[in-house]
Amino acid sequence: MELRQYWRIIWRRWWLVAALVLFVLLISLITYEESTPVYQATMRFAIGVEGEEPVDAVSGQGRSDAWLASEYLADDLSEVLKGGDFAARIGQRVDFDGPAGVIFASREHRIMTVAVTWSERSQAQAIAEAVGAAVEDGGADYFPQLVGVEARAVLIDGPAIG
């Protein structure tokens, strides 16, 4: 078949094409819902564990156990932040409930990135500040092996809301 024949078929049945377009337009208008804005507050923390081994300035060696423990702590802490218990504790700090999926954390080496997603800007800010304070407390509530060890989380960036 040639393109001209296709065009003639469509031209003869123009009303069918127009009806289909109008039907889709009508259904779209009926089911349209305006989307609500979603805000995301992001923060970055440097996670560290104090070591006792001296650092050799020339070779850069030393404190390898502290560096490795810091990576383990950042990895484990990023998993704790995603959990329901942590979200419940944050909800108590800010006086409103935040479901477990609101807080997301990931890490790269000893740097942990935390993202808080919420539908209201001021509440996203409050949740992010509460998360920041909880993380800077060191996480000793979740990790009994940190008793007697100096572990710190230092806020590098944020909370930045977008």
Side-chain angles (χ1 to χ4, degrees), residues 41 120-130 159-161:
E120 193 172 317
R121 184 182 181 92
S122 63
Q123 290 181 343
Q125 178 76 29
I127 293 170
E129 289 172 358
I161 297 183

Side-chain angles (χ1 to χ4, degrees), residues 107-160:
R107 70 118 186 141
E108 186 172 339
H109 305 293
R110 288 152 307 280
I111 304 297
M112 183 175 65
T113 303
V114 180
V116 175
T117 305
W118 197 256
S119 60
E120 193 172 317
R121 184 182 181 92
S122 63
Q123 290 181 343
Q125 178 76 29
I127 293 170
E129 289 172 358
V131 168
V135 169
E136 286 178 335
D137 287 346
D141 293 344
Y142 294 100
F143 305 109
Q145 65 269 32
L146 289 179
V147 174
V149 176
E150 184 67 31
R152 293 186 54 205
V154 179
L155 184 64
I156 300 172
D157 295 321

Side-chain angles (χ1 to χ4, degrees), residues 48-53 63-71 110:
V49 175
E50 185 178 307
E52 296 177 7
E53 187 180 343
R63 294 198 184 164
S64 58
D65 289 341
W67 286 96
L68 190 58
S70 299
E71 286 196 40
R110 288 152 307 280

